[in-house]
Amino acid sequence: MRLCPGGPVVRCVRVCCGRGRWRVCIPKCVRSTWAYTHLLARSLCYNTLTNWDTVNDTLFEPVFWTADRLTRLFGQVFVCLVVVLTSSIVLIAYMVLLPLVLHTYAPWWIVWHLCYGHWNLVMIAFHYYKATRTPPGHPPTTKSEVPFVSFCKKCVTPKPARTHHCGICNTCILKMDHHCPWLNNCVCVRQMYFSLSVCVCVAWLNNCVGHFNHRYFFSFCVFLTLGCVYCSISGRNLFIDAYSAIERFKALEAEPAGVPVKGVGLLIGIVPPEAVNGQSSFQTPPPTFTLKDKLLNKSIIYMWVLTSTVAVALGGLTLWHAMLISRGETSIERHLNKKERTRLAKRNRVYKNPFHYGCFNNWKLFLGVEKRSHWITRVLLPSGHAPYGDGLTWDFYPHRKEPLPV
């Protein structure tokens, strides 16, 4: 064995000849660093079931962590924003639109607006209150006989069917659909008693949309969309008039003032008698509108723009959830079922959703309709009835094709 001539970089690597072959001897510190880096790289592919989704989730874990913490932090802000915006629309409707309706509309049209408007308002307030106050439902943390299909690595507890972990709430949710920051809640399935204060409930809750409050969330979206469409359609003519009035106000304010008249005497019909000092000026007469007129017209424009925008955005979200309900899926299950269908299609097999009972039966199960009168008492009127099932066990399609023969 001999050292290779050269500088310190060359001398740190010893070339050894043993048993008929050359071998490069690398310092221990370099080998340790390389082994640790190689172990980290291999940890991204720890078994044969790992795919690029697992690798991407691992790489973007800091991004997901930051998004979860920000959503949890701003959840109360989003809830307060919903309350403030909704309250502002209600205030404008009572202070601006209602007097106009009472003075300009026919009596039967007034009755229609009063009845429909207050019914819609009650349904919006009730379902939003229940959606924020109702916990979504959680799997048992103690030992039980409930069957489970997987194991949560973060909660270290068994997960029943349709249960998923919410990173924002940091717990498992029964039949989780998504975490809604506007509810500061996860959408799920459980019923609780009413609280004494709406302000406290909407400001300090933080859970998901799942099995026990999914119906409240969807009903809130439906009735809020209907209310926005109602305000947008009924206030269209008022919006056009208000916008024209604002444009007239801007035109009047843009008119230049009168040209000063100086150095003239007392001219009858030209200079007013008060101008005895030889100086006067003619100004444009004061505007015919007041600050109250501007505020009323701007409030009508604000209401129409806000309700029209929310109607389009929330209407699309409501249609998306209606499609999922018709298929017996949640937002998470939509993604999982799509991947499962793709996987089985490569094997020439067809995937069937075990929780799909048919479009009409899915709606009856979701809304809790057990007889015909429930379409009125439980759908068109405020109702706090519990959803179908306990969210832990589910009837499967091959065993029950007609869950509710209504």
Side-chain angles (χ1 to χ4, degrees), residues 27 39 64 146 184 247 250 281 335 375 388:
L39 178 62
F64 297 151
V146 176
N184 203 18
E247 292 298 324
K250 292 181 179 180
S281 63
H335 174 69
W375 290 105
Y388 178 81

Side-chain angles (χ1 to χ4, degrees), residues 196-207:
L196 296 177
S197 174
V198 174
C199 296
V200 173
C201 81
V202 298
W204 298 107
L205 287 181
N206 187 14
N207 50 13

Side-chain angles (χ1 to χ4, degrees), residues 11-260:
R11 287 196 300 269
C12 71
V13 179
R14 294 178 300 172
V15 181
C16 303
C17 178
R19 295 183 181 180
R21 61 186 181 87
W22 294 89
R23 185 178 61 181
V24 179
C25 296
I26 303 176
K28 184 178 180 180
C29 60
V30 178
R31 286 187 281 113
S32 300
T33 304
W34 170 255
Y36 182 69
T37 304
H38 185 63
L39 178 62
L40 289 180
R42 290 182 63 87
S43 66
L44 298 177
C45 311
Y46 62 92
N47 58 26
T48 57
L49 299 178
T50 302
N51 51 24
W52 280 109
D53 291 339
T54 304
V55 176
N56 291 332
D57 290 343
T58 305
L59 295 177
F60 284 95
E61 183 64 26
V63 180
F64 297 151
W65 183 89
T66 304
D68 292 345
R69 295 305 181 275
L70 290 177
T71 304
R72 184 184 303 175
L73 178 63
F74 289 100
Q76 301 174 7
V77 178
F78 291 149
V79 172
C80 294
L81 185 61
V82 171
V83 175
V84 170
L85 293 179
T86 307
S87 302
S88 65
I89 297 300
V90 174
L91 185 65
I92 293 173
Y94 275 101
M95 297 187 64
V96 179
L97 300 184
L98 185 59
L100 295 176
V101 170
L102 295 177
H103 288 86
T104 58
Y105 287 14
W108 62 272
W109 199 236
I110 294 176
V111 173
W112 153 254
H113 280 288
L114 292 177
C115 294
Y116 178 81
H118 286 88
W119 169 77
N120 203 340
L121 178 61
V122 169
M123 296 297 286
I124 292 174
F126 172 81
H127 287 102
Y128 187 74
Y129 175 84
K130 294 292 287 184
T132 55
R133 284 297 296 171
T134 303
H138 311 281
T141 56
T142 58
K143 185 177 180 180
S144 63
E145 300 298 329
V146 176
F148 61 93
V149 297
S150 61
F151 196 83
C152 182
K153 298 179 181 179
K154 296 184 179 181
C155 295
V156 196
T157 55
K159 291 197 301 183
R162 314 187 79 177
T163 300
H164 302 280
H165 184 85
C166 177
I168 300 175
C169 299
N170 197 25
T171 184
C172 287
I173 305 297
L174 298 177
K175 192 193 168 188
M176 178 180 173
D177 188 89
H178 67 284
H179 186 96
C180 182
W182 300 102
L183 297 178
N184 203 18
N185 197 349
C186 279
V187 180
C188 225
V189 188
R190 176 168 242 167
Q191 177 187 10
M192 294 291 287
Y193 294 105
F194 284 102
S195 176
L196 296 177
S197 174
V198 174
C199 296
V200 173
C201 81
V202 298
W204 298 107
L205 287 181
N206 187 14
N207 50 13
C208 282
V209 175
H211 180 66
F212 290 101
N213 62 352
H214 196 180
R215 180 178 65 88
Y216 298 126
F217 164 78
F218 179 76
S219 298
F220 166 72
C221 292
V222 170
F223 289 109
L224 184 59
T225 302
L226 292 177
C228 291
V229 172
Y230 164 74
C231 292
S232 180
I233 294 177
S234 61
R236 177 180 176 275
N237 294 330
L238 294 176
F239 165 76
I240 295 176
D241 295 340
Y243 186 81
S244 301
I246 292 295
E247 292 298 324
R248 290 197 302 269
F249 296 161
K250 292 181 179 180
L252 291 176
E253 290 177 348
E255 289 185 1
V259 180

Side-chain angles (χ1 to χ4, degrees), residues 257-270:
V259 180
V261 180
K262 300 180 180 180
V264 296
L266 184 60
L267 301 177
I268 299 176
I270 299 179

